[in-house]
Amino acid sequence: MSVQELIEDIPFLSPYKWYGKVTRVVGLTIESKGPQASIGDLCYIIVGRAKKIKVKAEVVGFRDEFVLLMPLNGTTEIAPGSLVEATGKPLEIKVGSGLIGSVIDGCGEPLSKEQLPKGLRPFPTDNDPPNPLARPRIEEKMSLGVRAIDALFTVGKGQRIGIFAGSGVGKSTLLAMLAKNSAADLNVIALIGERGREVKDFIERDLGEEGLKKTILVVATSDQPALMRIKGAMTATAVAEYFRNQGLDVNLMMDSVTRFAMAQREIGLAVGEPPTSKGYTPSVFAMLPKLLERSGTAKKGSITAFYTVLVDGDDMNEPIADAVRGILDGHLVLDRKLANKGQFPAINVLKSISRVMADIVDDRHRAAAERLRQSLAVYDDNEDLINIGAYKRGSSAEIEQAIAIYPKIIAFLKQSTEESTSIDEAVERLINEFGRGGD
C-alpha cells in the first residue's frame, strides 16, 4: 500500500482489539462467543498454559450468536474458554523475488522453518478475477517444450488448461516437464493434498535443481486441515498474480483441483451445507470459478495455468471434472491404456482440445495437426480389425494410409522427460511429417 492509502485508512482503524471465547469444538469447526469478525477474517486462538501459542483460524460461518472458526493448523490444546483474537482482516502472505526457489506452505511460510528472506511485500490471498473487459485477447503462443502439446494443442499466453487423468497416469511428471522446459519467466506450482512422501520426490526427481531455480512451490499435504489445503490453492494463485502484476509471464500449475474441491466439501459439510452432486456442497461449485478465473491475461503480464483433475475410476463426467472442463480454455486427457503401452506423455489426442489454438496458429500448422488427428482417428476406429488380422489389404485407401503413418505418429507423440523441443522445432517436424508435402 502507498503512504497516501495508509493515511486514508486512519479514520477507519479501531483502537481496540476484539476478543471472544471458545465454547465448543465439533468435528472440524470451533464455536466461539465473539469476537466481532466477518466471513474470511483471520483470527488467533490463544492456547497453552503460558498463553503464548497462537493457532491461526478463519471465520467460515455463524450459527445464532456464535462464530464458526476453522483452524489452519490443528485443534490440539484448544479448550473451552480459550481466547479468540480477531485481526480484522483476511490472511495475507509476503511475496517478492526473494521467494523464487523456495518451498512454502499454504500460509506462505517456508516449509523448511527458516526465516522468510527480506524485501518481501504483503499481498492478500483472496483476490477478485480481472475485469473481463480489461483482459487482453490471447494472441501469443507459449512454448512449453512438450512436442505433443506445442504441435497439436498449442497453448497461448494466458490460457487455462485442465489435465484430466486417473491416479498414476503421469500428471505430476507432465507438470515437471512443463516447469523445466517452458518459456515462461516463472513457475508457481501448487501441490494440494499430495502425499508427504511425494513432495521431496517431485522436487528432487521430477523438478530437479534447474527446474527449482525458476519455481516457487506451494505445498499443502493431505494430512493438513481442509482449510490449509484451500489456502494452498489460494496462496499459489496469489503468488502468480503478484508476479503477473509485475509484467511477467507466469506458469501456474496446480495438482490437483479435485483435492481442493474435496477440502471445500469438508468445510461445507462441517458448517451445515447440504450435500448435492455426489456429496459435493453448493459452495464447491461456487468456489471453482472464483479460483480458476483468477488466472489468465491481464493488462500487464499473464498467468498460463495448468490444473490437474483427478478423475475417480477414469470417469471423465464426474461432477468436478465436468464443472472444471466447462470453465477452462481446453483440456488434455491422459489415458491409462496409452500409459500401459509405454507411451509418455500419455495424452489421448482424440479426447483433448485447445480452444485457443485456432486463433494463434497459421493455416499450414492447423492443416498438419488436423491430418494427424484424422489419421489417428481412422486407425483407432479400426485398431481391433488390424490387430487380429481381419482387415484385408486394399479395402480402404484411408485405412492403408493410417496404417502406414501410425508408427510415425507414435514416435512424434512420445517424449522422454529429459528431452526438450521448442515450439518452432515441434511445428516444423509436424508440418514436414504430416503436412501435405510430407507424403
Side-chain angles (χ1 to χ4, degrees):
M1 294 179 74
S2 67
V3 174
Q4 184 59 37
E5 288 174 321
L6 290 170
I7 292 170
E8 289 172 358
D9 280 348
I10 289 173
F12 304 101
L13 296 176
S14 171
Y16 304 104
K17 273 192 175 181
W18 297 93
Y19 289 92
K21 283 191 174 182
V22 171
T23 54
R24 66 174 182 163
V25 177
V26 182
L28 300 174
T29 56
I30 300 161
E31 283 189 10
S32 71
K33 186 82 170 180
Q36 184 175 313
S38 305
I39 293 284
D41 278 2
L42 180 69
C43 294
Y44 291 111
I45 302 172
I46 301 168
V47 300
R49 292 182 181 176
K51 304 296 183 187
K52 290 182 179 179
I53 301 172
K54 290 186 174 183
V55 176
K56 289 179 181 176
E58 186 177 290
V59 179
V60 293
F62 306 98
R63 185 177 292 135
D64 299 326
E65 71 273 25
F66 296 102
V67 178
L68 300 181
L69 301 151
M70 196 158 285
L72 283 160
N73 307 108
T75 54
T76 309
E77 294 193 41
I78 296 174
S82 293
L83 280 179
V84 181
E85 178 188 327
T87 64
K89 59 183 181 181
L91 177 70
E92 286 187 339
I93 57 169
K94 291 187 176 179
V95 197
S97 56
L99 217 53
I100 298 172
S102 302
V103 183
I104 59 175
D105 65 15
C107 293
E109 298 293 331
L111 218 61
S112 61
K113 304 300 181 184
E114 296 175 358
Q115 292 291 319
L116 282 168
K118 293 182 180 179
L120 305 183
R121 300 179 62 183
F123 195 76
T125 59
D126 196 356
N127 302 301
D128 293 327
N131 186 313
L133 296 180
R135 286 184 185 267
R137 291 190 64 205
I138 298 170
E139 296 175 334
E140 195 176 343
K141 292 180 278 191
M142 168 68 80
S143 178
L144 299 173
V146 178
R147 189 167 49 246
I149 301 175
D150 282 339
L152 302 175
F153 311 102
T154 310
V155 173
K157 288 182 180 179
Q159 187 173 350
R160 300 158 307 149
I161 291 279
I163 299 174
F164 293 73
S167 56
V169 188
K171 297 185 302 300
S172 298
T173 305
L174 179 57
L175 287 185
M177 287 177 72
L178 296 174
K180 286 189 289 188
N181 301 333
S182 83
D185 300 316
L186 176 71
N187 299 306
V188 179
I189 303 177
L191 301 180
I192 309 300
E194 287 291 315
R195 305 174 189 90
R197 174 188 62 80
E198 290 182 338
V199 174
K200 202 159 188 181
D201 281 352
F202 181 81
I203 295 169
E204 295 182 359
R205 183 192 64 201
D206 296 332
L207 195 57
E209 192 176 335
E210 285 301 311
L212 191 59
K213 281 181 182 177
K214 66 167 190 173
T215 298
I216 298 171
L217 207 64
V218 182
V219 175
T221 50
S222 58
D223 60 297
Q224 293 183 306
L227 191 61
M228 188 60 111
R229 283 173 268 149
I230 295 285
K231 289 301 173 190
M234 296 295 187
T235 294
T237 307
V239 170
E241 286 171 327
Y242 173 84
F243 287 101
R244 176 178 63 185
N245 294 345
Q246 310 304 309
L248 299 184
D249 293 317
V250 183
N251 269 358
L252 171 64
M253 304 175 202
M254 191 174 296
D255 185 14
S256 70
V257 172
T258 307
R259 294 192 177 110
F260 167 85
M262 288 175 173
Q264 182 58 37
R265 176 174 64 182
E266 285 181 43
I267 293 171
L269 293 172
V271 298
E273 279 190 79
T276 52
S277 182
K278 283 200 174 179
Y280 288 102
T281 57
S283 64
V284 173
F285 300 101
M287 287 281 284
L288 282 173
K290 285 183 69 177
L291 175 71
L292 303 179
E293 286 288 348
R294 286 169 61 181
S295 53
T297 56
K299 287 181 179 178
K300 293 193 302 179
S302 66
I303 300 174
T304 307
F306 299 87
Y307 299 99
T308 71
V309 180
L310 185 64
V311 287
D312 292 333
D314 296 334
D315 177 13
M316 295 301 299
N317 297 312
E318 59 97 26
I320 299 304
D322 205 39
V324 171
R325 191 166 53 240
I327 298 166
L328 300 180
D329 309 317
H331 53 270
L332 303 172
V333 177
L334 302 189
D335 195 319
R336 191 178 301 278
K337 187 169 77 170
L338 297 178
N340 291 341
K341 288 180 179 178
Q343 180 181 320
F344 291 101
I347 299 170
N348 188 318
V349 172
L350 303 178
K351 292 182 179 179
S352 306
I353 191 170
S354 168
R355 292 184 180 136
V356 174
M357 179 176 173
D359 298 330
I360 58 176
V361 302
D362 59 35
D363 291 339
R364 290 176 68 223
H365 181 175
R366 189 184 305 111
E370 286 175 0
R371 186 165 183 242
L372 185 151
R373 290 172 72 99
Q374 287 169 359
S375 297
L376 191 58
V378 169
Y379 187 91
D380 192 62
D381 288 342
N382 297 279
E383 186 174 16
D384 290 340
L385 291 176
I386 295 165
N387 288 342
I388 64 173
Y391 170 72
K392 292 183 180 179
R393 294 276 178 182
S395 301
S396 166
E398 194 177 40
I399 297 175
E400 296 283 338
Q401 186 184 51
I403 293 171
I405 68 170
Y406 182 72
K408 285 167 66 177
I409 293 174
I410 298 305
F412 182 82
L413 296 177
K414 277 185 175 182
Q415 184 174 336
S416 73
T417 55
E418 303 304 319
E419 184 185 354
S420 175
T421 59
S422 70
I423 189 168
D424 293 334
E425 292 170 339
V427 173
E428 185 181 358
R429 180 173 168 183
L430 175 74
I431 292 170
N432 289 340
E433 295 187 6
F434 305 102
R436 285 297 170 190
D439 291 328

